[in-house]
Structures are given as structure tokens and as C-alpha cells.
Amino acid sequence: MSGAGPVVPSPQRGRRLWLAAAAVAVLAACSPQDSGSRAGASKFHGIDVTGADYGTDFRLADPQGRERTLADFRGKVVLLFFGFTQCPDVCPTALSRAVEVMRLLGDDGTKVQVLFATLDPERDTAELMQAYTTTFHPGFIGLRADLERTRETAKHFKVFFAKVPTGSSYTMDHTAMTYAFDPQGRLRLAIRHSATAPEMAHDLGLLLAGR
Amino acid sequence: MAVLFALSATGAVAQVTVKDPWVRGTVAQQKATGMFAHIIAAGGGKLVAGSSPVAGVVEIHEMAMQGDVMKMRAIPGGLELPAGKAVELKPGGYHVMLMELKQQLKEGETVPVTLVVEGKDGKRENVEVKAAVKALATPAAPMQGHKH
């Protein structure tokens, strides 16, 4: 093809610009002061991980003992958070935020499925998971597996967790990222703990609109 | 709101005021939760320990994000209380960790917690707190821009 001179943006140049924009988005996402003030480098507040080769699916039991996978939630935006119920701070904060996100979405809130997967299956029994998650919202589902599958699942989602002894008991360090899947069940966003409910509602609104 | 002063036989006290103490409610079988409050030690000191009839173990913890990983630790040596300055124990920062809970903590109840504050002179005093139990689903901070 002729005429592809310097005045026409080459694919390479376009790609460089895109990469620069992505770099800005990543930097902005790393800054704690940036909430809500970003100038449109990405349409999402969360980290866009579309096409990631991790976090493609899971197979975990709900409190009734049924094995669940992403296919069960087609047509809904799925929010998946890994944590543990003995957690005084991050986990209830993330789940309360999810309740608020659903409220902000109005009627579309019914198209959001929140899943809370435990990283502490030794203490988080099915009964406890059921009581804990439904206290936040009757539609939330607690998921668990044995320790081995919990480890495999966490690894597949790049979720770090470790038991930390304290007193005569233990607490857990863990990745506090919320993952968002689109209605087709594709992993799309990794949402930081610092994200606000309005930011998340904005992002989920886009996913529900097929973007 | 509860404002309680420590009792001490000596004059050299940290003079501790605890405001708005609250505990995150639990569900049955849940064995741990956090207490939050504003603490002011007029004379300065350190929050070094705690106890409660509802918990087998009470520790002073700090939550911190390292990258995207949440870490929670007992604060070695206790939580510094600068003289006259309010130190906020809140989600996303410090909390009094109540572990090995002996009962479910239900919204609307109050939980007695004894905080141990060490003054600059090394003397320890007990501060009795009655913490209000709030809903498990209490958000980290009041939501802005809307009414329920």
C-alpha cells in the first residue's frame, strides 16, 4: 500500500500512544489521591485485566454443598472477593461496599452476583459462610473448598494468602482485590481495596452495558 | 457515646478518654472481631493491652496494605498515644482485636472492654469501656451524598 507516510499514524505509533496511555492509567491507579479525578485514560476505575490468562474460572462449593463455577452466573456481573470471616476490617469493608454498589446501580443491582470465597476453610465452615455472607445481603454466596483446592484457586487468581500466628490463634494476610467478571463470565477488572462504591458502580454499569 | 476516665491512685496518669467505642457485630460461630474508638491520653502514653469478658484474647492490632495485600499485626510495644492528641482506631488502620469470642456479639448490645494504658512514667492504668455493637455490615466510613 502506498502513501503510508509520516502524516498517517502508523499502527506502531498508535500502539505506542496506547501503551503510553496505559502506563498513565497504571500510574494513576497507583496513586492514593487520584480517586475520581482521572482524565479518561481508561474507561474503568478498576484495573482492566481483560484477556488475562489467569482467573478464568473456579470450582468451589456453596454453603448447600453444590459445586459452583462461573457458568452458573451467566448474564450477571460477578464480583469475587477472597477473604476470611475472622477478618475485622478488610473483608466486611469490601462486602459492605458491594452492598452499596448494588444499591447505587438501582434496578441493575439485581444483575450483580457477589461471591465471597474463604481462604480459611479450616475455620470457615459452610454454616459460618452462609450466616456471614447473608448478613450483608441475602443474595451473596459464600464459597469454600478444602485446603488444597483453596490453594489452587488462590494461585489461579494470583491471590496471595498466608497464616500469621497471633496470640494462641492466627490471622491471615491476603490479597484484598475484588475481581469483576462480565455477563459472559470473562474476567475484566481487578478492583483495589481503595476503590469507592461509586467508582465500582460506574465500572459495573459499563460491564452490564456490554462494554 | 461513652466518655470514661481512668482511675488511678497516683497523680501521674495518662488521663485517658475513650470516645465512641464500637465493636463490629458477629454471626454465630465467628470467633473474632474488632473494636474501634477515638482515644485521647492527655498526658501521653501507650495502649499496651486489653481484656474483655467476651473474648479469650485481646490484642492491639494494626491493619496495613502492602501493595494489594492486607496485613494485620499486633503492634509491638503497643499503640503510641501522643499527649492530648486523639488517636483514631478505625477500619483501615488500628483496632483492638477481640479473639476467641465466647459468644455472638449482636447489634444493639454493649460489650465491656478494659484497655490498659501505660503512662510516660511506666505506670499502667485500666480504662473501662462499654463498646456499642454495630451491625456486621457497618461500612468503613459513613457514605456521603445520600440519605438512607
Side-chain angles (χ1 to χ4, degrees):
Chain A
M1 180 180 161
S2 63
V7 288
V8 180
S10 70
Q12 285 75 18
R13 181 171 157 73
R15 180 161 172 76
R16 274 199 302 277
L17 280 173
W18 184 86
L19 284 172
V24 169
V26 169
L27 283 174
C30 292
S31 156
Q33 283 94 26
D34 67 339
S35 303
S37 63
R38 214 157 305 147
S42 161
K43 60 183 182 244
F44 296 111
H45 293 281
I47 304 161
D48 190 339
V49 294
T50 303
D53 59 357
Y54 62 91
T56 51
D57 207 352
F58 54 79
R59 183 174 290 275
L60 299 166
D62 70 18
Q64 287 71 41
R66 288 176 299 217
E67 293 227 314
R68 299 298 200 120
T69 67
L70 274 172
D72 296 343
F73 308 107
R74 284 295 134 81
K76 287 189 171 188
V77 163
V78 170
L79 288 179
L80 173 63
F81 184 80
F82 292 87
F84 67 118
T85 70
Q86 317 287 326
C87 167
D89 192 329
V90 166
C91 308
T93 298
L95 292 173
S96 308
R97 182 182 58 181
V99 174
E100 179 64 6
V101 168
M102 289 170 72
R103 200 193 62 79
L104 290 172
L105 285 169
D107 291 344
D108 279 348
T110 58
K111 297 178 195 155
V112 176
Q113 177 63 58
V114 176
L115 304 176
F116 179 63
T118 181
L119 296 166
D120 188 13
E122 290 165 278
R123 293 189 296 196
D124 287 342
T125 61
E127 294 86 344
L128 181 46
M129 291 300 286
Q130 171 73 6
Y132 189 83
T133 52
T134 57
T135 295
F136 289 89
H137 189 285
F140 286 11
I141 299 176
L143 296 174
R144 67 187 295 282
D146 60 22
L147 206 49
E148 190 186 344
R149 187 172 293 177
T150 300
R151 284 200 194 99
E152 288 167 4
T153 307
K155 193 177 171 196
H156 180 59
F157 280 87
K158 294 187 185 289
V159 165
F160 164 85
F161 72 108
K163 270 189 192 178
V164 181
T166 185
S168 56
S169 182
Y170 66 90
T171 178
M172 306 202 72
D173 292 351
H174 66 90
T175 302
M177 205 74 109
T178 298
Y179 286 115
F181 300 82
D182 66 20
Q184 286 75 45
R186 295 176 298 210
L187 177 59
R188 299 293 304 276
L189 300 172
I191 299 166
R192 288 201 156 90
H193 186 60
S194 55
T196 65
E199 286 169 352
M200 284 179 71
H202 166 267
D203 284 4
L204 298 202
L206 290 178
L207 293 181
L208 283 168
R211 297 177 61 192
Chain B
M1 181 159 119
V3 182
L4 297 129
F5 292 91
L7 297 172
S8 174
T10 72
V13 294
Q15 292 171 352
V16 181
T17 310
V18 179
K19 286 184 186 173
D20 298 331
W22 67 279
V23 167
R24 193 182 287 282
T26 63
V27 295
Q29 289 189 36
Q30 194 184 337
K31 294 295 175 204
T33 192
M35 190 199 101
F36 307 91
H38 295 241
I39 303 179
I40 305 168
K46 273 181 188 175
L47 175 60
V48 291
S51 64
S52 171
V54 303
V57 174
V58 176
E59 293 182 345
I60 315 303
H61 277 202
E62 179 177 23
M63 187 282 257
M65 297 297 295
Q66 268 181 21
D68 291 307
V69 175
M70 182 280 294
K71 298 199 172 210
M72 199 168 68
R73 295 286 183 276
I75 305 171
L79 173 60
E80 202 68 44
L81 302 172
K85 202 176 159 202
V87 175
E88 213 179 344
L89 278 66
K90 62 173 183 180
Y94 306 117
H95 57 263
V96 176
M97 184 82 178
L98 308 177
M99 291 180 292
E100 295 178 21
L101 291 175
K102 295 166 185 171
Q103 65 197 63
Q104 182 185 0
L105 307 183
K106 293 178 183 161
E107 185 180 359
E109 296 176 346
T110 56
V111 171
V113 178
T114 303
L115 301 178
V116 181
V117 175
E118 188 177 282
K120 294 236 186 293
D121 55 3
K123 285 202 172 65
R124 291 187 169 200
E125 58 190 272
N126 291 343
V127 186
E128 305 297 337
V129 172
K130 293 229 180 299
V133 181
K134 290 195 190 179
L136 170 58
T138 301
M143 294 297 173
Q144 290 173 347
H146 71 266
K147 293 181 178 77
H148 284 282

